[in-house]
Structure formats: structure tokens, C-alpha cells
Amino acid sequence: MSGLGATLLSSALSIVMATVLGVLLGVALTYGWIGLRLAARLYVDVLRGIPLLVLILFTYYGLALFGVNVSAFWAGVIALGGFATAHVAENFRGAVSSIPSGQMEAAKSIGLPFVNRLRYVVLPQAFRRMLPPWVNTALEIVKGTTLLSIIGVVELLLASQQAMARNYMIIDFYLFTGLVYVAINFTLSRIGARLERRFTFARS
Amino acid sequence: MTDPILLQARGVTKSFGGVNVLKGIDLDVLQGQVVSLIGASGSGKTTFLRCVNLLEEHDGGEILLDGEPIGYRDQGGRRVRLSEARVSAQRARIGMVFQQFNLFPHLTASGNVTLGLTKVLGKSKAEAQEIAEHWLDRVGLSAHSARHPYELSGGQQQRVAIARAVAMQPRLLLFDEVTSALDPELVAEVLTVMRSLAESGMTMLLVSHEMLFVREVSDHVLFLEQGRVAVEGPPSQVFDQPENERLRSFLGRFHGLFGASSA
């Protein structure tokens, strides 16, 4: 089970990276001045358009080409995180645009400056709306870590395959591996559901 | 009148995509006065109100609060927009109550009131809480301070919104058709709160279709028509002896409440 750690760690790192960068990119996408907004839009559209596997391979070999030497593990995290960043950014934009414009106006009218309007009025409401798609993205990331086996990261899938090569218990191992992913993702979606309940402030 | 001029608008213009919504509005609000804007929809009254609070930006003319230009400064004959921080500071001195309440749904009634107190005025949590309790009590909602907006009726929400605005101790309070989204039986409770604020000396600028209320509380009434002030004067003059044809027909629509309808 040596691969489980790599799967969990690369998932967690990618999710954290995607959440932080995705929200920042989402702010740029929603409120940035025109140049920044276009750059953010370009990033989101390009990254969402590239197959994840291509992105992982490109990051792994491409970074080396630019003289940036990162391990396969970190190349994988960057690729997964970068991919999910685009999704989180787009989810953020969607969540913000579903908040009535009167919220921003009310926040303005009590004199809150921009950063505080985001922090105390827009973000709490946006996060609640982002939660379901965010859980989705997290699940995709966990499943996406299997693709890191292609560039030689010994995560859960590759570790299982290596074990199978020794004992030929193919069905058993794939079944078991699959169940481990289900267990991880089920846990994630339970956490998501709990957060959703925790942050519900309106019956709607 | 010896009261100083609190708000002064001179030749305020505003257009949306080539349509001139405001064609030069002049208006003075003295300290402690209640001034009302009436007129048909599309006459520009709400747009003007929003310009005062910089939710819209006027294209020309100037709006002065305590003699200080709102939103822009003049730099060698050129209009320069003020920084975000300056604009926010100006907004903090002007309270606004909206037609749709616009309470923050993720905060309780008291959280709605304290947000500006702590984050804008820098008051301590305890002090803000005390001020919030005071104002929620003033609007008759002390029992509801821990409730979220979705647990309150429209009239209660609007009263929280008034508490939120007035707790900031603004120089001026703006009311934008604040009873228009309420069920008829809830209108009175909101008007009662507004009346008591007016009596306490709060300077208020309101846009309203509650003509009886406007006539009762206003010191000065402006009838806007197509982006201009068509008629203005004390309520007795505007409501009881309207000479302007359009004003007469406008008032006539209010169920014969005024002498104008018989004309």
C-alpha cells in the first residue's frame, strides 16, 4: 500500500493549490481590469481544453525542456493543480455572478472598500455556492492522480500494478484499488455535504 | 433658513448608452431636512439617488456633501475620479436603504448592523454590538437580533436595513422606494420608523411613491420629469395647488388623494 500515501498527498496538494489559485484567478476573472481578465480567461479556456493526460506529460517533459528540474511527483501536482485551478476559477466566477448585485451595492453603501466587500460579503456567499462543484473538482483530482502513473509516480494504481506483476492476482487487486478510490472520494463527498449543511444560511 | 447646506447638486447629468437620464439636476438639502423626489418611473429619481451614493457615476455637474465634491475632484478643469479608498470613505458618510432590502443573507440581523461598524468605523465588537442592539430596538426588532434575514418578514428585513444604515451615523440617509417591494400591510411599520427618524432630525433624501407620507414628512418636494426638476417647493404647494399640467396628471393617478384630481 505504499502508493496510497502518494495518491493522498498529490491529491491534497493539488486541491489546495487549485483552491487558492483558483479563487485568486476567479477574482481576476470577475473583477480584474480588462487585461488581467483576458489573461485569466485565456488561462481558463486553454487549461480546460487540454486533456489532463496531455497536460501531465507536457508539464513533466516541458518543464525539463525549460531547464526546470522537478520530480515526476511535483510535475504531476503542478499539472493537476493547474488544471483544477481553471475549474475552480470558473466555478468562482459562476458563483459570484449568481449573487444579486444588490449585495455588492449594500456593501458599498456602508462604506466597505473593495477587499472587505469581497471578504465579508461576496466570498462567504460565493463559497457556499461553490461548494458542490468544488467537491466535484476534488473528486476529479483524486481520480486524476492515477494518470501520474504514466510519468512514473508510484501512486496507488502503479503500486498495485507492480504488486500484480509479482502475484498475478489481477482482478483482486484492481477491485481493491477501485474500492480504495471509492472510499477516498466517498469521504470527500461526505465532508462536502457536511460543509454544505454547516454553511446553509437560507432555505432556498 | 440658517441651517447649513448638507447636500448640494449642481447640473448633474447622467446618460446610459446615449440615453440622457439626468439632464441637469439642481438640488439643495439643508441639514435636518427631509427632501423627497417624486415622479413617474423613468423620470430619473432613483438614478439621481444612486449618483449621490456613487452606485452610479454622474457624467457632468457636481454633487457636494458638506461642500466636498462626491466621487470626483477637479484637476485643472479636468474631472478626476477619486481613489477607491476616498470613495468608500464618502459612502460611509451617506447611508442608503434599498427597495429590495439587500440584507446580507449569511449574517444575522445584528451581524448586518455591526459589519460596517467594526470594519468601516473600526469599533470594537462589544461597542458595535451595543450600537446594533440600540438601533434594532429603535426599529422594534430587539427580539430578532439573532435571526437571519430569511427568518424575517419583508417589513422586518427593511427595518433591519434601516438600522444598518442609520447605525453608521451617516450625515445623510437615502431611501430608494423602500416600501415598493413590501406587502401593503407591512408598509406602515416601515413608514413609522422613517417618520421617527425624520422627527429625530436625521437628514433624509427619499424617492417614494407613498404620496401621503411624502406630503406629511417632507420639507421640500421635487417633481422630476424626464431627467429634469419640473416642479419643486414645499409639499403644500406641490400637492395642493399644482400648476404644472404633468404634475397634476401624475398626482391624479393616486386615487384622488389630492385636490389636484378634481382639477
Side-chain angles (χ1 to χ4, degrees):
Chain A
M1 273 306 90
S2 55
L4 182 60
T7 291
L8 291 177
L9 189 61
S10 61
S11 301
L13 288 170
S14 304
I15 291 171
V16 169
M17 170 180 162
T19 305
V20 174
L21 296 182
V23 168
L24 290 177
L25 195 68
V27 171
L29 202 56
T30 315
Y31 299 109
W33 33 267
I34 186 78
L36 190 61
R37 204 157 65 219
L38 285 178
R41 166 82 13 231
L42 186 71
Y43 178 89
V44 168
D45 286 346
V46 168
L47 272 270
R48 287 200 306 175
I50 298 176
L52 189 48
L53 182 55
V54 175
L55 196 63
I56 289 169
L57 290 168
F58 181 82
T59 308
Y60 183 50
Y61 294 111
L63 284 180
L65 212 61
F66 287 110
V68 184
N69 263 321
V70 291
S71 65
F73 177 82
W74 281 104
V77 167
I78 291 170
L80 274 174
F83 176 77
T85 293
H87 284 259
V88 172
E90 190 60 21
N91 292 343
F92 178 86
R93 193 194 57 77
V96 168
S97 70
S98 75
I99 299 173
S101 60
Q103 289 294 309
M104 199 55 148
E105 292 182 354
K108 282 179 178 175
S109 78
I110 55 172
L112 284 173
F114 177 72
V115 172
N116 280 350
R117 292 203 291 274
L118 276 190
R119 182 163 161 206
Y120 298 109
V121 175
V122 174
L123 291 186
Q125 300 186 56
F127 282 148
R128 168 64 184 75
R129 287 160 208 240
M130 270 177 75
L131 211 47
W134 181 84
V135 170
N136 243 344
T137 303
L139 303 193
E140 289 304 321
I141 288 180
V142 173
K143 291 188 279 183
T145 56
T146 54
L147 295 172
L148 301 189
S149 62
I150 304 286
I151 54 172
V153 177
V154 187
E155 39 64 74
L156 187 56
L157 179 64
L158 188 54
S160 309
Q161 285 173 330
Q162 286 169 349
M164 284 177 231
R166 292 192 296 272
N167 58 29
Y168 298 102
M169 296 163 69
I170 294 172
I171 295 300
D172 310 56
F173 267 76
Y174 274 129
L175 189 64
F176 175 72
T177 308
L179 286 176
V180 173
Y181 283 109
V182 169
I184 296 171
N185 280 343
F186 182 74
T187 310
L188 267 177
S189 65
R190 292 324 301 159
I191 293 174
R194 175 166 296 189
L195 286 175
E196 248 178 81
R197 274 199 304 276
R198 164 85 177 69
F199 290 113
T200 296
F201 46 77
R203 291 172 261 153
S204 52
Chain B
M1 283 278 188
T2 51
D3 288 337
I5 296 177
L6 187 70
L7 182 79
Q8 188 171 35
R10 286 290 167 266
V12 174
T13 59
K14 169 77 187 169
S15 64
F16 288 113
V19 180
N20 295 322
V21 183
L22 300 179
K23 298 171 187 162
I25 301 285
D26 296 326
L27 165 149
D28 287 340
V29 181
L30 305 185
Q31 195 158 338
Q33 262 191 337
V34 176
V35 173
S36 299
L37 304 174
I38 60 171
S41 27
S43 59
K45 32 189 212 316
T46 287
T47 302
F48 177 77
L49 209 63
R50 291 168 59 86
C51 284
V52 173
N53 208 10
L54 292 164
L55 295 179
E56 304 290 352
E57 300 186 9
H58 52 290
D59 306 325
E62 56 180 6
I63 302 175
L64 307 169
L65 181 72
D66 287 323
E68 179 190 327
I70 290 283
Y72 295 89
R73 67 192 158 83
D74 186 76
Q75 193 176 312
R78 237 162 28 92
R79 291 175 94 218
V80 183
R81 197 185 191 293
L82 295 176
S83 70
E84 167 73 14
R86 296 280 300 118
V87 165
S88 292
Q90 290 183 334
R91 284 194 185 117
R93 287 159 48 202
I94 304 171
M96 182 148 184
V97 184
F98 300 86
Q99 184 175 358
Q100 300 294 339
F101 329 139
N102 296 346
L103 290 182
F104 306 128
H106 57 297
L107 300 176
T108 60
S110 103
N112 267 275
V113 181
T114 55
L115 182 62
L117 295 171
T118 53
K119 304 306 170 195
V120 178
L121 300 183
K123 295 190 185 299
S124 71
K125 271 216 168 83
E127 194 184 351
Q129 195 59 43
E130 207 171 297
I131 296 172
E133 294 300 334
H134 167 76
W135 283 108
L136 287 172
D137 187 42
R138 268 288 297 272
V139 300
L141 290 173
S142 49
H144 297 74
S145 65
R147 298 257 169 97
H148 281 78
Y150 71 88
E151 299 172 289
L152 302 172
S153 73
Q156 290 171 331
Q157 289 190 49
Q158 193 60 296
R159 286 186 279 151
V160 174
I162 291 173
R164 174 175 70 181
V166 75
M168 297 289 291
Q169 293 198 296
R171 300 280 291 143
L172 170 71
L173 261 184
L174 308 173
F175 290 85
D176 183 15
E177 301 193 28
V178 297
T179 55
S180 300
L182 294 174
D183 292 336
E185 73 270 23
L186 300 178
V187 169
E189 63 188 68
V190 172
L191 294 184
T192 304
V193 168
M194 291 170 67
R195 189 178 293 118
S196 117
L197 281 176
E199 282 161 5
S200 72
M202 187 78 218
T203 312
M204 298 170 30
L205 178 59
L206 35 127
V207 166
S208 181
H209 289 296
E210 295 291 332
M211 290 304 153
L212 286 176
F213 179 71
V214 166
R215 178 161 74 166
E216 174 199 332
V217 302
S218 304
D219 297 296
H220 195 78
V221 178
L222 297 94
F223 172 64
L224 265 61
E225 199 197 20
Q226 297 182 353
R228 290 183 211 282
V229 179
V231 178
E232 63 175 306
S236 56
Q237 183 187 324
V238 170
F239 287 102
D240 299 336
Q241 305 119 32
E243 285 167 13
N244 180 296
E245 186 62 37
R246 297 297 196 84
L247 175 56
R248 265 213 297 274
S249 89
F250 173 75
L251 292 174
R253 270 178 265 160
F254 290 88
H255 314 295
L257 288 175
F258 305 104
S261 58
S262 57

